[in-house]
Amino acid sequence: NSFDEQSREFTRTTTGTSEVFIYCGNTFDLETGQEYTLSFQAKQNGYVSGTEFFILPKTFSSTGIAYNKPFDVTTAYKGYKFTFVPSSSAKNLENCELRFDNNGSTASGTEATLYIKDIKLEKGNRATAWTPALEDVAADIDFARSCGEDAQGRVETAETKIQQLAD
């Protein structure tokens, strides 16, 4: 399981014929009876035997799966949108995780790679374009502010040195 921050892309490769997983990191709570929409982009290298995603409470082995769905993936990025209501059989919808399954290679020994990016889970039945999380935007603003303050300090130092040389 690897994640590239710049491209926001998860990848998972296997040469075996058994499934391997992409866990997307953050946990989230779902509400019973609430409609949700999961959207993402996906592709594969042509050797993945099958794909599906699961929304799993941390305790899914004892409380049940919130939702799962197989989907077909091509070798070019394609957008996917799934609208669902969590399963009524899931007894606990807290601390859920999103998992994508690469169900193994079509031929043992051949690399099968699944790529997933631009993942977004939203309440309701409408998928909106991917946007960075608010905390990521705030971090980018703080970084830009810091760079600007550093540049301003350097300019002021240079101006002082130029003035001293002119005097």
Side-chain angles (χ1 to χ4, degrees):
N1 199 35
S2 68
F3 178 70
D4 181 300
E5 279 191 47
Q6 189 170 359
S7 65
R8 302 177 316 276
E9 181 181 72
F10 290 91
T11 59
R12 185 61 191 231
T13 300
T14 184
T15 57
T17 56
S18 299
E19 64 187 1
V20 293
F21 316 119
I22 295 173
Y23 282 99
C24 297
N26 297 335
T27 61
F28 50 90
D29 296 341
L30 298 177
E31 299 171 26
T32 302
Q34 174 66 52
E35 189 173 53
Y36 294 91
T37 298
L38 174 68
S39 58
F40 56 92
Q41 300 266 335
K43 72 175 183 176
Q44 59 134 319
N45 69 343
Y47 298 101
V48 175
S49 64
T51 52
E52 56 193 317
F53 74 87
F54 289 82
I55 296 179
L56 304 169
K58 280 281 194 185
T59 57
F60 79 91
S61 61
S62 61
T63 61
I65 295 169
Y67 189 75
N68 76 293
K69 181 82 173 172
F71 60 99
D72 294 323
V73 181
T74 64
T75 57
Y77 266 116
K78 177 182 165 191
Y80 296 85
K81 173 189 151 193
F82 297 97
T83 299
F84 65 94
V85 174
S87 171
S88 59
S89 66
K91 294 175 181 55
N92 179 1
L93 296 175
E94 296 176 354
N95 295 312
C96 293
E97 292 182 299
L98 177 59
R99 183 182 93 185
F100 289 92
D101 288 13
N102 170 343
N103 289 331
S105 179
T106 55
S108 183
T110 301
E111 281 193 357
T113 304
L114 177 62
Y115 305 85
I116 306 286
K117 69 177 186 175
D118 296 344
I119 302 164
K120 195 168 186 179
L121 179 66
E122 303 172 90
K123 282 186 175 181
N125 61 6
R126 299 175 105 190
T128 59
W130 184 90
T131 56
L134 292 177
E135 59 270 18
D136 294 338
V137 171
D140 289 346
I141 291 169
D142 290 344
F143 178 72
R145 181 179 297 121
S146 173
C147 290
E149 289 168 357
D150 182 52
Q152 181 179 356
R154 290 178 186 207
V155 167
E156 289 171 359
T157 300
E159 286 175 340
T160 301
K161 287 182 179 180
I162 290 169
Q163 187 62 44
Q164 289 171 347
L165 290 171
D167 293 341

